[in-house]
Amino acid sequence: MLCKICIFTILLATFGTWGTWAQLCIPEPVETIELNASTLSWSSSDNCEGTQYMIIIRSAGIIEYEYTVDSLSLDVSFLKLCRRYSFTVTPSADHILGLETSLDSGIALPEDTDIVVQNFTGVQIGEDVLIQWYVDENFTNCITYYHVLSWHEDTDTPDSLYIGQNGYLVEHVAQCMNYRFDITVHYNSVNGTTAQFNYTVPEKTNTPTLVELRQGSSQINTTWSLEKYSLNRCNITALYVNGTHFNQTYEIVDAPERPDVLVSITSLRADTMYYFNVSTENTAGVSPAFLIAVQTLEIDPSVD
Ligand SMILES: *[C@@H]1O[C@H](CO)[C@@H](O)[C@H](O)[C@H]1NC(C)=O
Ligand SMILES: *[C@@H]1O[C@H](CO)[C@@H](O)[C@H](O)[C@H]1NC(C)=O
Ligand SMILES: *[C@@H]1O[C@H](CO)[C@@H](O)[C@H](O)[C@H]1NC(C)=O
Ligand SMILES: *[C@@H]1O[C@H](CO)[C@@H](O)[C@H](O)[C@H]1NC(C)=O
Ligand SMILES: *[C@@H]1O[C@H](CO)[C@@H](O)[C@H](O)[C@H]1NC(C)=O
Ligand SMILES: *[C@@H]1O[C@H](CO)[C@@H](O)[C@H](O)[C@H]1NC(C)=O
Ligand SMILES: *[C@@H]1O[C@H](CO)[C@@H](O)[C@H](O)[C@H]1NC(C)=O
Ligand SMILES: *[C@@H]1O[C@H](CO)[C@@H](O)[C@H](O)[C@H]1NC(C)=O
Ligand SMILES: *[C@@H]1O[C@H](CO)[C@@H](O)[C@H](O)[C@H]1NC(C)=O
Ligand SMILES: *[C@@H]1O[C@H](CO)[C@@H](O)[C@H](O)[C@H]1NC(C)=O
């Protein structure tokens, strides 16, 4: 029983292979492969009938795409610009493969492409600001470097930076400081159109700190220091002293020096506790209050 099946199989196998043996045709390799902007094309392999072509596209040695087609060209517009690929074309006829032909080529950036940065953002991280920008993602492999010129309010000559990534950290910025950035993309030995951006560090209130306190029997003198211009240049307009028994407003014309502010509260009663809050107002609004409680001195009987 087993043997009958064996013989039948052998016969079938023999006749089967003998049948194709007569027509066995190994397709000749394709002679040329060409790549223009978006199309891979190759010469035909003509010696067999019904020849098909297997296309393998590798990048850095790894197979990324594989196709089998009847035509003599393939649309490869989906490949990434400025990346190198290896293309192999292997003809096949009736499941018999011929020899492969290869082409190594980069995908060229079309002539007159202008790469311009866009979507500029600035994010404050502590005392620093992270500046970032983007280019159309089709072009990311093409960029050699970015050239950044940056100015702030106090500079006439800009800082000039050549950087490989699409952003950098601007360190120790001052609140309300204005910056200007000119960013140019360098690629294929040309420069794209320069894009210009302005950025202002977000405003923040300016909390005063007490540097000196002098008490008398009818007076309290306090001296207040303001956050320096180098840290916070949001324009200060006033300093408020709000107490249960007095309110005073000191108008301030802001200047880079930011001198300390002397607050003198007079006509007070001797030996009395006074509570008051000191705050400043700048373009960001009124700062949190500095709370203070001060006792006036007893009247000195020796002074009369
Ligand atoms: C690329 O080749 C294809 C087919 O050969 C042709 O249709 C197309 O116009 C060519 N494109 C360019 C930019 O030369
Ligand atoms: C830029 O921002 C726009 C809108 O927010 C978005 O559609 C676009 O994809 C962004 N472009 C890049 C290159 O990130
Ligand atoms: C980027 O590639 C996509 C897909 O190929 C295309 O639709 C788009 O127009 C391309 N963008 C630019 C700016 O060439
Ligand atoms: C591109 O800009 C750089 C400065 O960023 C300059 O040195 C170079 O000459 C420019 N190249 C071209 C081709 O304009
Ligand atoms: C940036 O600011 C400068 C002066 O403050 C102004 O002339 C320029 O038009 C601004 N640029 C942008 C892109 O807003
Ligand atoms: C407070 O300041 C005023 C004016 O500067 C001064 O005359 C007075 O003596 C000071 N009082 C005290 C207690 O320091
Ligand atoms: C700051 O405020 C003063 C007084 O209001 C004003 O004269 C000055 O121009 C302001 N400075 C800036 C840089 O806004
Ligand atoms: C001082 O500030 C505190 C908290 O901000 C508030 O509760 C208090 O009423 C203020 N005192 C005066 C005199 O404004
Ligand atoms: C001072 O101003 C605060 C509010 O800012 C108010 O509650 C208080 O009554 C005022 N004190 C006097 C003596 O006017
Ligand atoms: C102090 O008084 C001024 C003026 O009335 C007010 O704008 C400010 O908010 C007050 N400051 C505090 C800390 O209450």
Side-chain angles (χ1 to χ4, degrees), residues 4-302:
K4 266 186 194 166
I5 292 168
C6 280
I7 289 164
F8 180 76
T9 311
I10 289 162
L11 279 178
L12 190 75
T14 314
F15 274 99
T17 40
W18 195 78
T20 46
W21 251 89
Q23 297 154 12
L24 190 130
C25 175
I26 301 170
E28 289 169 350
V30 308
E31 279 183 12
T32 58
I33 308 181
E34 274 177 34
L35 177 69
N36 71 9
S38 58
T39 310
L40 185 75
S41 54
W42 51 90
S43 59
S44 61
S45 166
D46 295 323
N47 64 317
C48 302
E49 286 200 3
T51 303
Q52 288 189 311
Y53 302 91
M54 185 170 78
I55 320 301
I56 294 177
I57 304 175
R58 290 181 178 84
S59 169
I62 294 157
I63 295 180
E64 295 216 337
Y65 302 97
E66 207 172 327
Y67 299 94
T68 300
V69 296
D70 296 323
S71 59
L72 294 176
S73 66
L74 181 69
D75 176 3
V76 290
S77 55
F78 53 85
L79 294 179
K80 294 204 169 76
L81 291 169
C82 305
R83 220 162 128 185
R84 283 204 81 76
Y85 290 95
S86 136
F87 303 91
T88 61
V89 180
T90 312
S92 73
D94 204 13
H95 305 293
I96 295 181
L97 293 178
L99 291 175
E100 65 176 35
T101 308
S102 308
L103 171 73
D104 276 3
S105 179
I107 307 295
L109 190 64
E111 291 271 323
D112 348 302
T113 304
D114 188 11
I115 306 184
V116 186
V117 309
Q118 48 185 313
N119 294 17
F120 181 89
T121 57
V123 178
Q124 205 187 337
I125 303 170
E127 294 179 355
D128 309 325
V129 166
L130 178 64
I131 299 297
Q132 281 186 294
W133 57 84
Y134 299 91
V135 295
D136 188 291
E137 65 178 326
N138 297 3
F139 304 138
T140 47
N141 294 310
C142 305
I143 292 155
T144 323
Y145 60 79
Y146 299 95
H147 184 206
V148 180
L149 291 175
S150 88
W151 291 259
H152 62 72
E153 286 165 49
D154 299 344
T155 50
D156 292 330
T157 46
D159 286 339
S160 175
L161 295 161
Y162 295 89
I163 45 183
Q165 74 276 24
N166 65 320
Y168 70 105
L169 200 63
V170 181
E171 294 183 310
H172 306 302
V173 298
Q175 312 296 328
C176 290
M177 175 85 103
N178 289 307
Y179 286 90
R180 178 182 146 193
F181 299 92
D182 282 4
I183 307 173
T184 314
V185 187
H186 188 85
Y187 53 98
N188 274 1
S189 318
V190 301
N191 295 326
T193 302
T194 300
Q196 195 189 92
F197 303 98
N198 287 339
Y199 176 77
T200 302
V201 183
E203 53 196 19
K204 193 178 130 259
T205 56
N206 192 319
T207 310
T209 48
L210 181 65
V211 291
E212 196 180 15
L213 171 68
R214 279 170 194 267
Q215 294 131 286
S217 53
S218 65
Q219 280 187 335
I220 299 168
N221 287 354
T222 52
T223 306
W224 299 90
S225 130
L226 309 171
E227 227 167 48
K228 293 291 164 242
Y229 206 62
S230 59
L231 296 174
N232 185 341
R233 56 173 65 201
C234 304
N235 207 349
I236 299 180
T237 49
L239 181 131
Y240 300 112
V241 180
N242 301 355
T244 38
H245 295 92
F246 47 82
N247 280 331
Q248 286 181 26
T249 299
Y250 291 74
E251 293 201 353
I252 294 176
V253 176
D254 205 5
E257 301 76 34
R258 287 234 171 111
D260 289 345
V261 182
L262 178 73
V263 171
S264 188
I265 303 157
T266 54
S267 311
L268 301 176
R269 284 196 297 175
D271 197 19
T272 307
M273 183 70 94
Y274 288 93
Y275 300 89
F276 53 102
N277 293 337
V278 177
S279 55
T280 61
E281 183 161 12
N282 67 4
T283 48
V286 178
S287 74
F290 190 109
L291 279 67
I292 180 169
V294 186
Q295 176 104 19
T296 48
L297 303 182
E298 286 177 42
I299 293 171
D300 187 344
S302 67

